[in-house]
Amino acid sequence: MPPDRTLLDRLNALPAVPFAPGATPVDEPARLRAALGGGPRLLVKRDDAIAFAFGGNKVRKLRLVAARAQAEGADTLITCGGVQSNHARVTAAAAAALGMRCLLVANGVAPDRATANALLARLLGAKIHYVSSRADRAPAMEALAAERIARGERPYVIPLGASTPLGAAALAQAIGELVAQIDPPDVIVHASSSAGTQAGFVAGCRMHGLRTQVIGVSADEPSMVLAGEVRGVLRGIEGLLGASPGVLADARVEVDDGFVGDGYGIPTPASEEALRLCATTEALFLDPTYTAKAMAGLIARVRDGRFTAAQTVLFWHTGGQVGLFA
Ligand SMILES: Cc1ncc(COP(=O)(O)O)c(C=O)c1O
């Protein structure tokens, strides 16, 4: 399929805030490949190296989402996540850099001594409101927004993970960045959780007419649930870009939930091995919640001989390494 120039033009015209906008490096982890006994050519796209607020996929999303908030005249960003949310840290950073206030709704208990993302969110000046469960987060954000509007402020609520069609579109743009750097890989493997990153990659590959297989390794949700959410975001991107229904959402969505283990954020023997192997062979730091489980999925596939030596498999490092200091 040829690239869809009309959709790509609309995608690339979305207003963005220039948080470290340059292309991230693509590295070839030859020592990791050797440690796995060969197999496909491996590449790593280093979004962990984005030079804004310790980087990661959320910076890409916030470039677009914060631009929309600014255009709507917002003076406050409100979002939610776990106590150690990477997305909350990056939202707090975006707010600080744009001179906005930031309110975070975190499910969990206020730590006695804030570490890692929680520490950075505090340093960035975010106000953190704790709720007891994941289900309480969205209503708490709405209540905070209503309170702020009543005070005459202009809050902008960013849903979990900024996995709105607009946030996801940033990852579709990232596919354009990638194909300007290298020949399209046969496979992209990445960590998947709130659906936006995977929807963006799938949409980007589709718009560029690539045959690249995108494998999202789930950090928490069962495959069926997450794949359904990814399709929902794909439909949202179609709406955002004025695409015909099905142009993006009919694409294949592949989610692997075989590496979650006992649950979100709980390490598994395979994720611990992946984390150690990338550090000792490449000085490449993964994070325990997302990227170590995704890399465990990639490693298992290489060991099982599920890729050929002629294939190129790209691991998209979505960041999160701050989580190592929790
Ligand atoms: C480091 C990291 N990788 C991957 C993901 C998954 O991205 P998404 O929520 O868009 O699926 C997240 C966020 O949830 C993350 O923080």
Side-chain angles (χ1 to χ4, degrees), residues 29-305:
R31 285 173 46 78
L32 172 63
R33 181 172 180 272
L36 297 176
R41 181 179 186 212
L42 296 182
L43 298 173
V44 182
K45 177 73 169 154
R46 299 291 306 276
D47 279 7
D48 58 314
I50 292 177
F52 178 78
F54 293 103
N57 58 340
K58 306 303 180 190
V59 179
R60 291 191 186 270
K61 292 176 174 183
L62 261 296
R63 287 179 194 145
L64 301 191
V65 173
R68 169 77 61 87
Q70 258 193 329
E72 292 186 10
D75 57 15
T76 305
L77 298 181
I78 302 180
T79 198
C80 68
V83 173
Q84 283 297 341
S85 165
N86 296 307
H87 164 65
R89 178 240 312 159
V90 175
T91 302
L98 296 174
M100 296 184 189
R101 286 178 286 267
C102 181
L103 308 178
L104 301 176
V105 174
N107 59 294
V109 183
D112 291 337
R113 189 176 148 270
T115 60
N117 283 311
L119 170 67
L120 296 177
R122 265 191 209 178
L123 273 177
L124 289 159
K127 280 217 172 101
I128 305 163
H129 300 256
Y130 294 90
V131 293
S132 50
S133 76
R134 285 180 168 209
D136 293 334
R137 297 186 297 205
M141 286 198 293
E142 291 308 324
L144 282 173
E147 227 174 71
R148 295 293 166 141
I149 289 168
R151 284 199 214 166
E153 295 175 11
R154 292 187 302 280
Y156 184 93
V157 175
I158 303 174
L160 180 70
S163 281
T164 57
L166 183 65
L171 283 306
Q173 292 177 337
I175 295 293
E177 177 183 308
L178 181 73
V179 296
Q181 292 174 295
I182 57 162
D183 289 338
D186 297 290
V187 183
I188 292 173
V189 177
H190 71 95
S192 194
S193 177
S194 64
T197 297
Q198 187 158 3
F201 287 157
V202 170
C205 288
R206 190 86 166 190
M207 285 187 253
H208 280 277
L210 310 184
R211 275 202 292 262
T212 304
Q213 177 189 9
V214 176
I215 303 173
V217 181
S218 177
D220 38 16
E221 300 285 3
S223 297
M224 289 282 284
V225 173
L226 185 47
E229 290 171 3
V230 171
R231 269 188 220 98
V233 181
L234 283 168
R235 282 192 289 275
I237 300 173
E238 289 172 351
L240 177 74
L241 300 179
S244 310
V247 161
L248 306 175
D250 285 353
R252 178 152 187 244
V253 175
E254 192 174 340
V255 178
D256 183 347
D257 63 5
F259 295 86
V260 176
D262 287 337
Y264 177 78
I266 303 171
T268 62
S271 72
E272 285 178 338
E273 190 221 3
L275 208 140
R276 212 172 31 248
L277 200 56
C278 287
T280 53
T281 59
E282 298 289 342
L284 180 70
F285 294 112
L286 303 177
D287 84 293
T289 303
Y290 300 98
T291 51
K293 288 184 177 175
M295 181 57 90
L298 184 154
I299 289 172
R301 281 178 159 73
V302 171
R303 287 184 175 145
D304 291 349

